[in-house]
Amino acid sequence: MDMPIDPIDQWLQTEGAAARAAGRVLAMAPAAQRDAALRAGAAALRQSSAAILAANARDVAAHTGTAAFRDRLLLTPERIEAMAAGLETVADLPDPLAGVLAEWTRPNGLVIRRVAQPIGVIGMIYESRPNVGADAAAICLKSGNAVILRGGSDSQHSARAIDQAISAGLRAAGLPGACVQIAPTADRAFVAAMLRATGVIDLVIPRGGKSLVERVQREARVPVLAHAEGLNHTYIHAEADFAMARAVLANAKMRRTGVCGATETLLIDAAIADALLPVLVADLAALGCECRGDARARAIVAMAAADFDTEWLDAVLSVAVVDGLEAALAHIARHGSSHTDAIITENAEVAQAFLAGIDSAVGLWNASTQFCDGGEFGFGAEIGIATGRIHARGPVGPAQLTSFRYQVIGTGQVRP
């Protein structure tokens, strides 16, 4: 007796096959056509701004979480414009599928070329930030990959409105609509189906909280490009410029507390802690941030005890006093997530030692950790900060979403 087919599995099999067929068309499309789809999608986002904002208002009205979470969910005219501009920036990037990555000639005369190619069908699982759908679509289209998007239930109305604009761009450029698809349901069962969709999805990328990423890594039967939580540090070295340290730390923590590039822990050198830490805490308190410190920090400024293993994603900052560079690196190695870490110092030698000593996907010197963003890197958009203890990558843009293959050119050679 035949077992009934689960409707979600059936959708993935059917639409996954359509995505693969569309992806082959996309991979063969000239760069100008892929870029035209991105620019048309940007225009559609701008034209649909009112509809997108109305859909987002429905999602925000149902929101019951923190203010930082609400900020992640919220769209404004400026953020829609930023999405549209991001698509145009991606369109302006060099074609990641163009040219030869490497070429060499063997002693037998065979010419071997390594050329870029798309990965295939990408499964993108994300949570509250609705702009992730536009970013993922842009990067996948540019790199010749089809994508199946599954956004969170909290942003489903926004995600669908954005998807309609992206689909309009594909149609305007004469590319198959199945190049970008959105899940028909926000049911968690759809995530499970994506994770077991071998032969349908070639790579799953989760972008969200720790529990989502851990679930994907635990359950996936398809390859995963995962990111760690953003347990990011800013280390203020003894030779830091105090004015710079104050400005950078305030931005790194409070510009947007709910993004993965926000600083979650301040490490301050013991040599300057007595003079500078009270000022930093006062600066942050004026911005609405609560500081929580280790015993040495609490001996200087009254505050609650710190937890150095929590990604706050809120107006909370952990503080530790450390005895120099090696102690800072040891703290980051023990508590960090290999995401983004920064040093503030006027000593170039110390800065280089810090950047070499962390295993983070992104290291910064005299700059806010909030610059950890594909747009700021010139990618136009990103689909996460891919990290890992063994392999730290950083923001994933179009070039990072390609694989490669080989072409061998001969003149009639036969193998002896």
Side-chain angles (χ1 to χ4, degrees), residues 35 39 88-96 142 377-381 397-399:
D35 293 343
R39 294 191 176 95
E88 292 170 334
T89 299
V90 172
D92 290 337
L93 293 174
D95 180 11
K142 183 72 177 186
F377 278 42
F379 297 166

Side-chain angles (χ1 to χ4, degrees), residues 262-290:
T263 286
E264 302 289 17
T265 297
L266 163 65
L267 303 177
I268 185 166
D269 204 298
I272 58 171
D274 286 338
L276 183 57
L277 184 56
V279 178
L280 296 174
V281 172
D283 287 346
L284 292 167
L287 296 172
C289 181
E290 175 191 356

